[in-house]
Amino acid sequence: MKIKLYALSTVLSLLLFSCNKKENTTIKLPEAAEHTETGTDTLQEADETPRKQSINLFTVMPKDSSDIAFISLSDVYSVGYEKDTLALPNVEKMGKENARYFTFGDIYRKRLLTGANISETDSVFIIDYAKNKRVSFAVKNLKTAAMLSLYSSGEDWPYRNFDYMIGFEIDKKLLNGFSEYYSDALVYVGKENPFSKERLKPISWEKIAKKDYPSKTMKNEERVLLKNTVTGNTYKFKTDSHEYYLQDYLDSDKIIYGRRLLVINSTTKDIIIEKVYHSNEGSSPCPLNYEEGDEAINQWTGKLFKNKPPVVFGFEYVSFGCPGISIIDKSNEDIYLQCDNRH
């Protein structure tokens, strides 16, 4: 799965995906309590305090068909629901159409940067991990702006503060060569570039026998999630340092309900991380690489950050909340994008 928010433009819908039927064998899972949504992809509630993470990564989205791209900082700079002229100017004075998108003057720019803990001397670092593109801009050279959210429209006039995304304006010409809709772009704002110069690798899955999947007892909550499923296909991928194992789990209609990922140290054979991805109201397993064509790549791994272990990601579509990047080490850290998803 590409790390993407499927509300990047008004022509994109939030996707839930069901995979084709697979040959399967039955697995035995012990009886457990009533089905609960407890797993590695538990969703963050809209009114919950933002996650404290080791790094904040943002996304890029196009502003309709104009020449502007936009980086929303709203996940780290809250302006509330109603009018607050300390956060945003009185938009009613602008008029309905002019208030759909406007840039900030010095006063509101300063409040945004202060509230988001950003300095004029910081930089905005943007990478496209699929195209291997990298650009950076000084914060002092970028405009700050408010853009009407994709979930708001002229019918919501007069607009409330919550109807807006707040962030940086980028000239699309400066992002030439990036993926369509900037779906593979990641953004960091700070003093130093955290991204490695190494290129990420798309995972090329090899189908293997089920008996070759490493033996490891499931956690109880994972048994609950996968209760009443049967095993489907089993896959493996290998790099110089890690082995990746993936097991499909199918529902009663033989459709992929979930997947279990194990990443193992190639030398010691220790299991480093274990993840279970499953279908629920807010997410669903996405296709494996190349299942939908030579250009259809979802799962990636490699050295994304200079000062962190390798990462792996791209196993689910997310409609509620934001997708995450898993760090391959014993910390079991997932870095969730600040994607400003209000669905």
Side-chain angles (χ1 to χ4, degrees), residues 124-192:
V124 175
F125 302 95
I126 310 176
I127 69 164
D128 185 315
Y129 55 82
K131 301 293 186 181
N132 201 30
K133 294 280 187 178
R134 291 167 170 79
V135 295
S136 63
F137 311 99
V139 166
K140 65 182 179 181
N141 294 333
L142 295 178
K143 294 179 180 179
T144 51
M147 181 169 76
L148 202 61
S149 164
L150 298 172
Y151 298 102
S152 302
S153 69
E155 296 179 358
D156 298 309
W157 178 259
Y159 310 129
R160 306 162 299 169
N161 283 8
F162 183 73
D163 291 324
Y164 286 97
M165 296 181 288
I166 314 297
F168 290 117
E169 175 183 300
I170 306 283
D171 188 332
K172 284 183 180 178
K173 296 186 184 68
L174 301 176
L175 300 177
N176 283 341
F178 275 59
S179 299
E180 187 177 19
Y181 304 116
Y182 314 112
S183 58
D184 302 311
L186 299 173
V187 181
Y188 174 77
V189 184
K191 299 295 182 189
E192 298 183 6

Side-chain angles (χ1 to χ4, degrees), residues 73 77 104 108-117 144-145 166-167:
L73 303 174
Y77 180 68
F104 287 171
Y108 289 98
R109 176 187 178 87
K110 184 176 181 180
R111 288 174 182 165
L112 165 60
L113 296 183
T114 300
N117 197 29
T144 51
I166 314 297

Side-chain angles (χ1 to χ4, degrees), residues 320-332:
F320 298 136
C322 298
I325 299 173
S326 296
I327 304 296
I328 303 178
D329 73 353
K330 293 292 186 179
S331 71
N332 204 36

Side-chain angles (χ1 to χ4, degrees), residues 230-269:
V230 295
T231 54
N233 289 329
T234 311
Y235 303 91
K236 179 181 179 180
F237 173 73
K238 186 175 181 179
T239 65
D240 290 340
S241 55
H242 297 99
E243 297 173 7
Y244 305 69
Y245 293 88
L246 194 67
Q247 178 66 62
D248 288 347
Y249 291 90
L250 313 181
D251 63 17
S252 59
D253 294 320
K254 305 301 184 289
I255 294 173
I256 294 178
Y257 171 79
R259 288 192 173 106
R260 185 187 187 206
L261 170 71
L262 297 180
V263 181
I264 294 176
N265 183 299
S266 294
T267 302
T268 66
K269 303 304 179 182

Side-chain angles (χ1 to χ4, degrees), residues 48-73:
E48 187 177 298
T49 301
R51 289 186 183 91
K52 292 183 178 179
Q53 304 188 131
S54 62
I55 186 172
N56 281 329
L57 297 179
F58 302 93
T59 58
V60 186
M61 64 187 71
K63 177 186 176 293
D64 50 53
S65 60
S66 69
D67 58 358
I68 292 173
F70 192 79
I71 300 170
S72 176
L73 303 174

Side-chain angles (χ1 to χ4, degrees), residues 16-65:
L16 290 177
F17 181 85
S18 295
C19 298
N20 292 330
K21 295 183 177 181
K22 304 284 185 179
E23 182 180 358
N24 65 86
T25 59
T26 303
I27 62 170
K28 294 182 179 179
L29 294 171
E31 293 297 321
E34 181 181 355
H35 184 98
T36 58
E37 297 299 336
T38 56
T40 56
D41 54 352
T42 299
L43 299 176
Q44 182 181 5
E45 297 296 333
D47 58 351
E48 187 177 298
T49 301
R51 289 186 183 91
K52 292 183 178 179
Q53 304 188 131
S54 62
I55 186 172
N56 281 329
L57 297 179
F58 302 93
T59 58
V60 186
M61 64 187 71
K63 177 186 176 293
D64 50 53
S65 60

